[in-house]
Amino acid sequence: MGTLPAAPRLLLLLAGAAGLCRARFSFPLRVSPPAAPGNGSGSSRQQAPPSEADGLALASEPGAAVSFLAMVENLQGDSGRGYYLEMLIGTPPQKLNILVDTGSSNFAVAGAPNPDVTSIFFALLYRSSTYKSQGTDVTVRYTQGSWTGVLGTDVITIPKGINGTYTINIATILESENFFLPGIKWHGILGLAYDALAKPSSSVETFFDSLVSQAKIPNVFSLQMCGAGMPVSGSGTNGGSLVMGGIEPSLYKGDIWYTPIKEEWYYQVEILKLEVGGQNLNLDCREYNADKAIVDSGTTLLRLPQKVFNAVVEAIVSTSLIQTFSSGFWTGSQLACWDKTETPWSLFPKLSIYLRDENSSRSFRITILPQLYIQPILGIGQNLECYRFGISSSSSALVIGATVMEGFYVIFDRAQKRVGFAVSPCAEVGGSPVSEIEGPFTTADIASNCVATMTLHEPMLWIISYALMSLCGIILLVLIILLLLPPRCQHRFTDDVISDESSLVRHRWK
Ligand SMILES: *[C@@H]1O[C@H](CO)[C@@H](O)[C@H](O)[C@H]1NC(C)=O
Ligand SMILES: *[C@@H]1O[C@H](CO)[C@@H](O)[C@H](O)[C@H]1NC(C)=O
Ligand SMILES: *[C@@H]1O[C@H](CO)[C@@H](O)[C@H](O)[C@H]1NC(C)=O
């Protein structure tokens, strides 16, 4: 080995990164029944668009060449503030930008003035002749932020999407908290996850389900987010593509690797192993799926369960050539800055996530280079380039968010209940790829199931908390009744309690 690259001097750590880290996904009210594990049939690698598994794939009949080129580059945005799609909503059409979120299932737009929503917003409720209110209130809570609005239906068209006009459920947001944030360029949210997460109930058909049944497209969409190496939230925007109904060949290189969707609510997948700089973290694989591992375009960072996060940070610290980082960098409260002439990426290791293949005795790994998780932040100093850590800890899930997704073309193959990953051509920094996919690997050394069979989903927790509350209520009631009893009775009761067991028994049998 030759000389080590001269370590760029870490110049300073700045506070204030926390405000730039947005993360959100909704909490389910209802959970669909646990799904059967992936069926290991055939090759996991596919280059052809998915077959018409649910009989809706009229447009992809052999010979009826569908072009998805109209949908290439239909997104704008960045990892910090999300990627959005332009839509025309209502009659006459109102042009709104809609955040693409695979971690929730409601379609909602701003329906009342908000200081963080730009001027192009109009009150849909009073302006659109095709709007129909359903008069039902709906509230959606995300990891960060929430909104309350009213349910209705209206028509939409997607200029750079599927041709045609479709009638969909739409919530108009009347009140919100930490949902619209300063600097965002979108006015609504498109939840692309399953109806199990839809609020107020799963009977609210999701946008994509409506699109699939009305446009008769295959039940597949795919997402490419092109922010690799770009500032987390610069003045401009980066591009991206949301392909509805299939897979666009120009958006990926090499093979697509598929992992089964464990349960259809979030896009829940099974993670088998993590490696930092080629070194296995060696945690029990259930730690990686505590209490679920999901693919969520609406979450900015790669979020890891606390135990996994600690192990990853420890591994990065021991692998990287920099030992002087204060903990603030890892927790997201500080930025690390270097002289503009130096880039710190060579100091950090690669990070690999192993996913269960469709053939369950195999796995494949998606790898991100530091260019994806040591993320530039613009506009701090003149001669400095500052970076934040693109990974954070989480108490409720492992979330494959934009930090990772920006390396890949991700296929949400709902028809075949699987999520595919392929290397994205736009995941390059300075002409070099910043993501990799390799496989297959054996899973002989890994438990046959890394997802806890009885995950305590939110509804279950509610049931338990209601049960505990009832119990407390009953105890309280008993105490109150005892207090209200005439003194004689109270006295006797006290006697009972303080007497020893035999006297108690005697008392009772008297
Ligand atoms: C896998 O698929 C085959 C054929 O589609 C079916 O016969 C078999 O029961 C499936 N196995 C599981 C575990 O779902
Ligand atoms: C699954 O993978 C194993 C190990 O690579 C292989 O032996 C087996 O034939 C594969 N099964 C199928 C159905 O492809
Ligand atoms: C939509 O229609 C236009 C014009 O007819 C056509 O060029 C385009 O390919 C169509 N897009 C899709 C996705 O079918």
Side-chain angles (χ1 to χ4, degrees):
M1 186 177 179
T3 52
L4 281 173
R9 201 158 44 93
L10 177 68
L11 287 169
L12 71 149
L13 289 159
L14 287 172
L20 295 158
C21 307
R22 294 180 46 240
R24 59 156 49 104
F25 53 87
S26 66
F27 299 113
L29 274 177
R30 193 183 84 74
V31 178
S32 55
N39 192 339
S41 57
S43 165
S44 59
R45 287 176 284 171
Q46 315 247 329
Q47 290 217 294
S51 61
E52 46 273 32
D54 60 356
L56 287 166
L58 306 184
S60 67
E61 292 290 328
V66 240
S67 172
F68 296 113
L69 287 173
M71 297 180 231
V72 171
E73 286 288 309
N74 60 0
L75 301 184
Q76 289 183 287
D78 50 55
S79 67
R81 294 166 301 188
Y83 286 83
Y84 54 85
L85 175 72
E86 186 184 291
M87 279 193 205
L88 299 173
I89 305 175
T91 312
Q94 298 173 30
K95 195 192 284 184
L96 296 176
N97 291 332
I98 308 294
L99 178 74
V100 172
D101 181 21
T102 65
S104 69
S105 303
N106 281 80
F107 178 54
V109 296
N114 182 298
D116 293 322
V117 180
T118 48
S119 59
I120 73 158
F121 154 75
F122 297 101
L124 192 67
L125 206 52
Y126 307 108
R127 295 273 191 93
S128 172
S129 62
T130 40
Y131 178 81
K132 290 191 184 74
S133 173
Q134 283 159 353
T136 315
D137 286 350
V138 55
T139 296
V140 177
R141 292 192 175 80
Y142 304 86
T143 308
Q144 185 191 333
S146 66
W147 54 258
T148 296
V150 105
L151 276 183
T153 60
D154 207 338
V155 296
I156 57 106
T157 58
I158 308 169
K160 291 184 182 169
I162 305 285
N163 285 335
T165 298
Y166 305 99
T167 303
I168 43 78
N169 288 307
I170 185 167
T172 45
I173 299 173
L174 301 179
E175 272 173 49
S176 64
E177 208 172 311
N178 283 330
F179 179 70
F180 298 109
L181 299 171
I184 55 159
K185 293 172 180 160
W186 43 265
H187 320 105
I189 184 168
L190 170 57
L192 286 167
Y194 290 96
D195 58 8
L197 299 184
K199 305 292 160 61
S201 83
S202 59
S203 63
V204 179
E205 189 176 70
T206 67
F207 184 99
F208 197 70
D209 282 332
S210 303
L211 205 60
V212 165
S213 68
Q214 292 172 42
K216 308 217 183 318
I217 55 169
N219 195 5
V220 178
F221 68 88
S222 47
L223 193 49
Q224 184 200 51
M225 289 145 55
C226 293
M230 308 294 283
V232 169
S233 45
S235 53
T237 65
N238 309 320
S241 304
L242 171 65
V243 175
M244 289 153 273
I247 298 172
E248 165 53 40
S250 65
L251 297 181
Y252 70 98
K253 296 189 290 192
D255 296 323
I256 300 174
W257 287 83
Y258 286 99
T259 187
I261 293 170
K262 294 293 286 183
E263 193 176 318
E264 294 159 304
W265 55 325
Y266 296 99
Y267 291 97
Q268 186 184 0
V269 295
E270 184 180 11
I271 292 173
L272 306 184
K273 191 157 90 170
L274 250 63
E275 280 177 0
V276 173
Q279 296 294 308
N280 188 348
L281 288 188
N282 263 325
L283 295 178
D284 182 326
C285 72
R286 276 167 299 199
E287 302 286 355
Y288 304 128
N289 300 277
D291 62 345
K292 59 190 170 286
I294 64 171
V295 184
D296 179 7
S297 66
T299 289
T300 303
L301 304 182
L302 167 60
R303 307 186 74 219
L304 301 173
Q306 190 69 51
K307 227 184 206 176
V308 181
F309 178 79
N310 293 347
V312 164
V313 168
E314 200 174 300
I316 293 176
V317 168
S318 65
T319 321
S320 75
L321 300 167
I322 293 175
Q323 310 288 331
T324 56
F325 274 56
S326 74
S327 65
F329 178 71
W330 308 111
T331 57
S333 61
Q334 290 181 313
L335 302 176
C337 306
W338 283 269
D339 192 283
K340 265 209 169 112
T341 57
E342 312 179 278
T343 71
W345 288 320
S346 61
L347 305 173
F348 292 89
K350 292 179 182 179
L351 179 71
S352 299
I353 300 171
Y354 286 71
L355 290 156
R356 176 93 62 192
D357 188 83
E358 287 188 290
N359 176 341
S360 64
S361 52
R362 293 178 180 168
S363 69
F364 65 93
R365 71 170 178 227
I366 59 175
T367 299
I368 58 168
L369 271 59
Q371 281 83 344
L372 285 170
Y373 73 81
I374 301 293
Q375 303 171 331
I377 301 280
L378 267 193
I380 304 290
Q382 283 207 315
N383 303 312
L384 295 178
E385 192 83 74
C386 295
Y387 299 80
R388 76 163 179 201
F389 188 44
I391 304 175
S392 74
S393 67
S394 153
S395 59
S396 56
L398 186 150
V399 186
I400 296 179
T403 291
V404 177
M405 290 181 74
E406 285 182 342
F408 305 95
Y409 183 39
V410 185
I411 292 98
F412 296 84
D413 185 349
R414 299 151 57 99
Q416 296 192 55
K417 218 180 148 188
R418 57 187 188 168
V419 177
F421 290 86
V423 167
S424 163
C426 72
E428 289 194 348
V429 175
S432 305
V434 294
S435 63
E436 298 163 359
I437 300 191
E438 284 135 322
F441 300 97
T442 176
T443 58
D445 53 333
I446 291 164
S448 61
N449 185 4
C450 299
V451 178
T453 41
M454 239 296 278
T455 38
L456 274 191
H457 295 315
E458 190 119 333
M460 182 66 78
L461 291 174
W462 277 114
I463 291 169
I464 291 174
S465 61
Y466 281 135
L468 289 174
M469 270 155 61
S470 320
L471 194 66
C472 287
I474 290 168
I475 291 171
L476 203 66
L477 203 66
V478 169
L479 287 176
I480 289 169
I481 289 170
L482 290 175
L483 280 174
L484 295 176
L485 283 176
R488 254 187 73 114
C489 300
Q490 215 172 28
H491 185 70
R492 265 175 51 193
F493 173 78
T494 319
D495 262 3
D496 276 358
V497 171
I498 57 172
S499 57
D500 64 5
E501 208 173 308
S502 56
S503 70
L504 204 144
V505 169
R506 201 189 39 193
H507 212 95
R508 238 202 247 154
W509 286 105
K510 246 195 280 195

